[in-house]
Amino acid sequence: MSSEATTSFHTPADVATVAAAIQRVLAENKHKVLGQSPDGSQIDFQTKKTLLNWELIGRAVTVPGEAGSDVHLSLDLHHNRPPAALDGVKNRKALEKLTGQIQSALG
């Protein structure tokens, strides 16, 4: 069973605004940006390790859409960490929280 969690949402904001909001949320959560495209349309990041969770690897991809942008987010277990039975559930919960933070940052 895959531990990857994915989601998508639409926003009226343009790609640059979405990239700035994602960067801000990642910084506020003390996550580490691993790389990004020059225009910010793809951002790879690693979440910070917590008492109950290993680090996760994430990707945010923003594409221009009708009247705004479509944002695609994914989180998965870091490749150097052992898998566990509830990883998929925990990753989904972490992604839902991150998505809500990004949507709030976009207003």
Side-chain angles (χ1 to χ4, degrees), residues 6-63:
T6 61
T7 193
S8 298
F9 66 91
H10 180 79
T11 177
D14 62 16
V15 172
T17 303
V18 173
I22 292 170
Q23 291 279 3
R24 189 168 55 254
V25 169
L26 293 176
E28 288 169 358
N29 286 302
K30 297 183 173 85
H31 299 327
K32 180 180 178 182
V33 174
L34 301 175
Q36 71 178 36
S37 61
D39 64 355
S41 63
Q42 180 174 311
I43 301 171
D44 294 321
F45 59 94
Q46 176 180 306
T47 65
K48 72 175 187 170
K49 181 179 173 183
T50 66
L51 185 60
L52 300 175
N53 294 308
W54 293 111
E55 304 93 333
L56 301 174
I57 295 294
R59 175 170 281 173
V61 177
T62 307
V63 294

Side-chain angles (χ1 to χ4, degrees), residues 3-5 56 75-77 87-95:
S3 63
E4 183 178 31
L56 301 174
L75 277 179
D76 203 355
L77 188 65
D87 284 341
V89 173
K90 291 171 84 175
N91 294 353
R92 166 64 52 201
K93 185 175 178 181
L95 185 61

Side-chain angles (χ1 to χ4, degrees), residues 54-104:
W54 293 111
E55 304 93 333
L56 301 174
I57 295 294
R59 175 170 281 173
V61 177
T62 307
V63 294
E66 180 118 5
S69 301
D70 295 316
V71 182
H72 307 282
L73 300 168
S74 65
L75 277 179
D76 203 355
L77 188 65
H78 193 285
H79 61 276
N80 289 333
R81 297 299 182 193
L86 294 177
D87 284 341
V89 173
K90 291 171 84 175
N91 294 353
R92 166 64 52 201
K93 185 175 178 181
L95 185 61
E96 288 171 359
K97 180 179 177 182
L98 182 63
T99 301
Q101 292 172 331
I102 293 169
Q103 289 173 323
S104 292

